[in-house]
Amino acid sequence: MAAAFVWGAATSAHQVEGNNIHNDWWEWEVRGKVAYRSGSACDHYRRFDEDFALAAALGHTAHRLSLEWSRIELAPGQYQSAALEHYRDVLRALKQRNLKTFVTLHHFTNPRWFARQGGWEHPRAALQFGQYVRVVAQALGDLVDVWITINEPNIYALKGYWEGVWPPGQRHHWRAVERVTRHFAAAHQEAYRIIHQSHPAAKVGIAQSVVAFLPARADSRLDQLVVQAHNWYYNHRFFQLTRGCHDFIGLNYYYAAGRKFSGRWPFFTPAPLPYPQTKPLAWSIYPSGLTRLLQDFKRYQLPIYITENGLPDADDHLRGEFIRQHIRAIEAAQQQGADVRGYFHWSLLDNFEWAEGFTPRFGLVAVDFATQERAIRPSARVYQAIINQAQN
Ligand code: BGC
């Protein structure tokens, strides 16, 4: 690994801060659409300093976090200087510990006023997002090293408009999936332009969810076609809609998924894979999928960051080895020419895992949600040793 390679962990505002009462996810929880309430989550809004002290003590050199739009813009055009000042404190706390700042502008949650007027389906969504971005870039830009405009636009559209399990809860609404995707693309382009206006040297990109799709039958031409279609639609399409507006590629990689051709619409079925699985979310652990994806993403000729990678593993039996193997997978891709510049583990802390609540435990650091006590998991030490070794 080159000396400049950054090592860190990622979080998002609603999952860790607590009491984000002005966004659409809070409303979704209050309406009982999911079985869990985020409540005070990790109380990170107040405890960020001690959490960053842990990250620094664990050898991290960077941290990825998201800003909560609903705290910053309480009503259209009503920007909250106290919230912006809070995020200045947060970013300063990272800088004081020599951690590089990777800042996400949208990580799944929206201000309630924005959701009520139609959310990401609304024709003005991208423009309104741009106005928020302009304010943030001016207020915080001097403290941001790398900007991530939107987290996983593909997951957002599928969960909210196809599976219907996240707000706004629409099911099988293909036209809405398309509209939302296009509005996110316009929003990213707008944000890219706006950030560069005030900060010409800024590094701006997105964090895209990528999956290693694998054919159920390696020798089946039809299964391979299904895999190619998934790879194009799920992994690449957003980059193609926003070509020319990325200073780097941000990839969130968790697992592989099998695909098998079927004779009936939609012409595929999910297929089981022979790899170990995580619990309680049944994800196939497949580190070499990351090497393959990195090879594939070389086509954009841009630096790449792994902006998320992790697993639910409450008893921490798998995490240390999972990290080791995924770092090896990155090194293998680098040896074949992939320009990977950093790795962020998901997550620094156990946190609110959306519709699954607090059950899946993703943290390098365990959180006792009754007492807010933090406990460093052994795998965090494995990660620390990898970081130390790479730097010596
Ligand atoms: C998201 C995170 C989430 C993680 C684990 C990613 O898709 O960006 O918000 O917690 O996966 O499911």
Side-chain angles (χ1 to χ4, degrees):
M1 295 287 176
F5 193 91
V6 298
W7 301 94
T11 60
S12 91
H14 191 71
Q15 295 179 269
V16 295
E17 284 182 349
N19 297 306
N20 271 317
I21 59 175
H22 299 296
N23 73 29
D24 56 348
W25 254 93
W26 187 270
E27 195 170 14
W28 189 247
E29 296 159 26
V30 169
R31 284 169 56 203
K33 295 288 193 179
V34 281
Y36 311 91
R37 301 281 304 267
S38 54
S40 358
C42 310
D43 195 26
H44 178 76
Y45 199 77
R46 296 192 303 155
R47 294 171 195 254
F48 63 89
D49 203 45
E50 62 176 271
D51 291 337
F52 297 158
L54 284 174
L58 289 169
H60 299 191
T61 63
H63 184 68
R64 177 179 169 220
L65 55 84
S66 81
L67 309 178
E68 178 57 37
W69 182 5
S70 65
R71 288 188 190 266
I72 295 176
E73 192 177 0
L74 204 50
Q78 276 182 33
Y79 295 98
Q80 307 298 301
S81 47
L84 289 165
E85 206 36 60
H86 168 82
Y87 286 119
R88 281 196 75 77
D89 290 345
V90 168
L91 297 174
R92 267 195 223 110
L94 289 169
K95 294 272 173 189
Q96 276 158 10
R97 297 194 161 83
N98 278 328
L99 291 164
K100 290 226 173 341
T101 54
F102 282 59
V103 174
T104 312
L105 291 159
H106 186 275
H107 196 124
F108 298 153
T109 57
N110 302 299
R112 264 147 78 169
W113 59 263
F114 179 87
R116 274 198 205 115
Q117 70 174 28
W120 286 95
E121 283 192 88
H122 194 277
R124 282 177 54 77
L127 275 179
Q128 283 176 327
F129 180 70
Q131 283 158 6
Y132 149 72
V133 173
R134 190 183 306 280
V135 170
V136 168
Q138 273 158 13
L140 309 177
D142 58 318
L143 296 170
V144 176
D145 290 304
V146 174
W147 296 91
I148 291 159
T149 58
I150 295 157
N151 183 69
E152 302 187 341
N154 49 358
I155 290 266
Y156 180 95
L158 290 173
K159 293 276 189 192
Y161 298 86
W162 188 255
E163 294 176 23
V165 291
W166 289 7
Q170 297 186 26
R171 273 177 67 77
H172 296 174
H173 193 337
W174 192 250
R175 291 231 307 278
V177 170
E178 241 341 85
R179 211 175 297 134
V180 164
T181 304
R182 288 186 177 275
H183 289 164
F184 267 131
H188 169 69
Q189 286 164 318
E190 181 76 354
Y192 184 88
R193 194 180 56 78
I194 287 169
I195 297 168
H196 280 283
Q197 260 171 12
S198 53
H199 298 83
K203 300 285 175 229
V204 184
I206 64 160
Q208 168 81 339
S209 163
V210 288
V211 169
F213 295 106
L214 300 174
R217 299 157 295 188
D219 55 354
S220 156
R221 184 73 197 119
L222 288 169
D223 288 3
Q224 284 166 13
L225 277 176
V226 167
V227 162
Q228 274 169 24
H230 273 75
N231 190 43
W232 171 76
Y233 179 76
Y234 189 85
N235 293 337
H236 285 283
R237 178 154 178 257
F238 196 81
F239 289 106
Q240 289 167 5
L241 289 173
T242 51
R243 213 173 259 278
C245 289
H246 296 269
D247 299 319
F248 64 90
I249 300 283
L251 302 179
N252 296 353
Y253 175 71
Y254 287 87
Y255 55 81
R259 288 291 182 267
K260 186 175 183 184
F261 175 79
S262 101
R264 276 188 299 140
W265 173 257
F267 301 112
F268 75 90
T269 52
L273 292 172
Y275 304 116
Q277 289 206 336
T278 60
K279 274 192 234 141
L281 310 172
W283 291 348
S284 294
I285 303 179
Y286 186 62
S288 55
L290 181 54
T291 311
R292 286 160 71 148
L293 284 160
L294 287 169
Q295 287 295 96
D296 185 12
F297 274 84
K298 279 196 311 197
R299 64 169 90 166
Y300 298 103
Q301 300 187 314
L302 288 169
I304 304 175
Y305 290 98
I306 304 306
T307 36
E308 287 178 29
N309 170 244
L311 75 168
D313 183 26
D315 50 19
D316 208 40
H317 285 164
L318 303 172
R319 188 174 289 103
E321 193 51 28
F322 180 97
I323 295 174
R324 257 192 223 109
Q325 290 183 2
H326 283 82
I327 301 298
R328 265 190 229 125
I330 294 172
E331 286 166 346
Q334 285 177 319
Q335 276 151 21
Q336 296 162 58
D339 182 10
V340 190
R341 305 271 179 99
Y343 172 87
F344 291 85
H345 193 73
W346 182 273
S347 177
L348 179 62
L349 304 166
D350 287 342
N351 61 45
F352 180 70
E353 178 58 21
W354 309 112
E356 276 76 31
F358 291 103
T359 311
R361 301 285 178 135
F362 280 89
L364 291 168
V365 175
V367 177
D368 177 334
F369 292 101
T371 61
Q372 290 298 346
E373 262 168 70
R374 274 67 169 148
I376 293 174
R377 290 204 166 100
S379 57
R381 300 295 183 193
V382 172
Y383 185 34
Q384 180 174 17
I386 295 173
I387 301 172
N388 283 344
Q389 206 186 1
Q391 287 177 332
N392 289 322

